[in-house]
Amino acid sequence: MDPCPFIRLTIGNLALKAPQAAKTSSSVVHPSSSTCFCKIKLKNFPPQTAAIPYIPLETTQFPEIQTLAATFHLSSSDITRLASRSIIFASKPCLKIFIYTGRSGAACGVHSGRLLAKVSVPLDLTGAQGKQCVFHNGWISVGKGAGKESSSAQFHLNVKAEPDPRFVFQFDGEPECSPQVVQIQGSIRQPVFTCKFSCRNTGDRRMRSRSLPAETSVPRSWLNSFGSERERPGKERKGWSVTVHDLSGSPVAMASIVTPFVASPGSDRVSRSNPGSWLILRPGDGTWKPWGRLEAWRERGGATDGLGYRFELIPDGSSGAGIVLTESTISSHRGGKFSIELGSSPTAGGSVSRSRRRRSGGSSGGTSPASSPRGGSGDYGYGLWLGSGYKGFVMSASVEGEGKCSKPCVEVSVQHVSCMEDAAAYVALSAAIDLSMDACRLFNQRMRKELCSESLG
């Protein structure tokens, strides 16, 4: 399998230091009473927002605790588009950072905060596909007093790009229609997997699939350890599974619902307090072994609802503690991206993503790897988080909103794929998160016929 070239552009180590000034001055900020944040913009990408911490004025070196504020993932087409625009306008593409005093957010549609300064960092991405490039690492004078060291605020940032090659896969159809999965490399689309969707009949508990081999059934011990086959009348969705086969027909990964998606009492929605869950399994020693667990629920929002999700890694196929690699929300109307990226900003893209150790019994603790201590090299503390072996970008999968045709596109970092079975596990996970959009659909809405056991008979 040949990967596609990608670049990971990261912005981090943000900090602001400012001189003390009279309260009447509008050219500087007042560290004792103000907060600051910034909006980070790159052409053709959604803006990202990050908080800016204050540090003492006398600080000359950046503290050893490094943080990541924003990340942009650029494909070859993104790089070409930015480069072509720079040729037309005879300038390099720029990363723009708008620094505000006040609190991030909006009230009645009007964004709060007063603009303090704008910072532009030119980007030359032509060589970043082969080696790491640092575009800026240090202090910049900002505000009205810029250039006058005694009266200007100082803004610190690190901007760098590094090669991040990925394998790219796409479902040729919706996961519930048992499609092929192709690998994409440039203009080449090569079949690598097939998927088989099946639905367990609630009456006889048989797997209703015409092409699923008997050896792919999930051992009952895993169902008992990681979920339950709750038999409740009425509002529930269960029994779905997707098996990924290689081109020889051998099963190489599987996603199966182990905790039914059940409407909470008095409502038509799956609640966060009682989520449904999938088990992601890989073959080993002649049986299926659990690799990860995905929980999903219907998040109640403002104008639109969202699909809430949490994915945890199951170390060594054990039934004990798991490591939560990501937890976030996807718009039920617009769709979005399911992603696992350790060290990402909790405010990037407006979603919450964190990694932590989850103990048995549901309690959790720990902090984001974005705050992990590392040296002052501009490496934002990715490291090996909690011994999971995962760092930086791991994978992402597109998810369409409700009622839209979904053919998930899956990107997996090269460093996390050593064999076809590795890639297949991420493909199965992508199918599970896509089907969770249907599983968490309001129960007063009709399900598509492909998701009903009667249509598989």
Side-chain angles (χ1 to χ4, degrees):
M1 297 190 299
D2 293 323
C4 295
F6 276 78
I7 288 177
R8 189 167 184 256
L9 179 67
T10 54
I11 301 92
N13 301 356
L14 303 185
L16 189 69
K17 59 181 181 180
Q20 295 289 343
K23 293 287 183 181
T24 57
S25 173
S26 61
S27 62
V28 295
V29 296
H30 303 276
S32 60
S33 59
S34 301
T35 59
C36 279
F37 67 96
C38 66
K39 293 182 180 178
I40 304 169
K41 297 183 179 181
L42 183 65
K43 186 70 176 178
N44 301 322
F45 287 85
Q48 301 185 33
T49 303
I52 306 175
Y54 283 111
I55 64 173
L57 181 63
E58 60 274 12
T59 302
T60 56
Q61 292 186 339
F62 195 81
E64 289 190 359
I65 295 180
Q66 316 288 301
T67 57
L68 178 61
T71 305
F72 295 94
H73 303 279
L74 286 73
S75 65
S76 294
S77 58
D78 294 327
I79 298 168
T80 301
R81 191 160 50 243
L82 286 171
S84 61
R85 187 176 186 276
S86 66
I87 292 173
I88 295 172
F89 293 95
S91 62
K92 292 181 179 179
C94 283
L95 179 77
K96 296 182 179 181
I97 302 175
F98 298 82
I99 305 171
Y100 296 86
T101 59
R103 297 188 180 278
S104 174
C108 301
V110 179
H111 287 278
S112 60
R114 178 174 60 85
L115 182 64
L116 171 67
K118 300 178 184 178
V119 175
S120 291
V121 180
L123 304 175
D124 184 359
L125 300 170
T126 53
Q129 290 185 346
K131 63 178 181 179
Q132 177 178 297
C133 297
V134 178
F135 302 110
H136 184 87
N137 185 31
W139 295 96
I140 300 175
S141 295
V142 296
K144 292 184 179 180
K148 300 177 182 179
E149 188 173 342
S150 60
S151 60
S152 66
Q154 300 287 309
F155 178 59
H156 187 282
L157 79 160
N158 175 281
V159 181
K160 67 178 181 179
E162 53 192 349
D164 189 17
R166 302 172 188 180
F167 295 110
V168 180
F169 306 94
Q170 185 168 28
F171 289 70
D172 258 355
E174 296 177 292
E176 61 269 29
C177 296
S178 300
Q180 270 193 331
V181 178
V182 299
Q183 183 188 355
I184 300 174
Q185 216 286 327
S187 60
I188 301 172
R189 296 172 63 90
Q190 179 181 358
V192 287
F193 301 116
T194 58
C195 290
K196 297 297 180 185
F197 175 79
S198 59
C199 183
R200 186 184 305 112
N201 185 284
T202 56
D204 58 15
R205 295 191 183 282
R206 289 183 295 108
M207 299 298 288
R208 301 285 302 278
S209 175
R210 291 167 292 195
S211 53
L212 193 64
E215 66 268 21
T216 60
S217 61
V218 183
R220 305 259 327 159
S221 59
W222 293 129
L223 293 175
N224 294 334
S225 299
F226 293 96
S228 62
E229 291 194 301
R230 296 174 294 191
E231 288 295 342
R232 295 184 183 181
K235 300 177 179 179
E236 65 175 12
R237 292 165 185 150
K238 63 181 181 179
W240 302 356
S241 68
V242 176
T243 307
V244 181
H245 298 78
D246 62 20
L247 295 183
S248 70
S250 300
V252 286
M254 186 185 205
S256 179
I257 291 181
V258 290
T259 302
F261 289 78
V262 179
S264 59
S267 78
D268 287 307
R269 68 176 61 234
V270 180
S271 67
R272 183 189 182 102
S273 60
N274 190 28
S277 67
W278 297 77
L279 201 59
I280 315 300
L281 303 114
R282 300 181 58 169
D285 300 326
T287 185
W288 289 106
K289 292 189 174 182
W291 171 72
R293 176 188 172 97
L294 175 71
E295 293 182 340
W297 59 90
R298 181 88 175 200
E299 196 78 73
R300 190 186 298 272
T304 59
D305 286 358
L307 173 70
Y309 65 82
R310 179 189 303 114
F311 175 71
E312 65 180 27
L313 189 70
I314 302 172
D316 302 321
S318 65
S319 58
I323 300 170
V324 178
L325 296 185
T326 186
E327 179 177 347
S328 191
T329 304
I330 297 172
S331 169
S332 297
H333 175 66
R334 299 186 307 272
K337 267 195 176 182
F338 169 87
S339 63
I340 301 175
E341 183 172 1
L342 305 187
S344 60
S345 167
T347 57
S351 65
V352 178
S353 180
R354 52 186 174 270
S355 175
R356 64 191 183 197
R357 171 79 66 175
R358 187 164 116 156
R359 299 178 176 86
S360 9
S363 62
S364 61
T367 57
S368 166
S371 62
S372 301
R374 288 294 295 267
S377 63
D379 185 344
Y380 309 111
Y382 301 141
L384 298 183
W385 184 242
L386 296 173
S388 67
Y390 288 80
K391 60 180 180 178
F393 174 82
V394 179
M395 64 88 67
S396 69
S398 61
V399 181
E400 292 294 339
E402 288 181 344
K404 299 177 183 178
C405 179
S406 182
K407 299 179 181 180
C409 184
V410 187
E411 298 173 7
V412 185
S413 175
V414 166
Q415 64 179 329
H416 299 299
V417 177
S418 59
C419 60
M420 292 293 285
E421 286 79 4
D422 291 341
Y426 293 108
V427 169
L429 173 58
S430 302
I433 190 66
D434 185 84
L435 288 166
S436 293
M437 187 68 78
D438 292 292
C440 291
R441 195 181 182 94
L442 294 178
F443 278 82
N444 59 6
Q445 299 176 357
R446 290 178 60 88
M447 294 292 291
R448 286 180 288 179
K449 63 179 182 179
E450 293 89 355
L451 296 168
C452 300
S453 60
E454 290 80 4
S455 67
L456 297 169

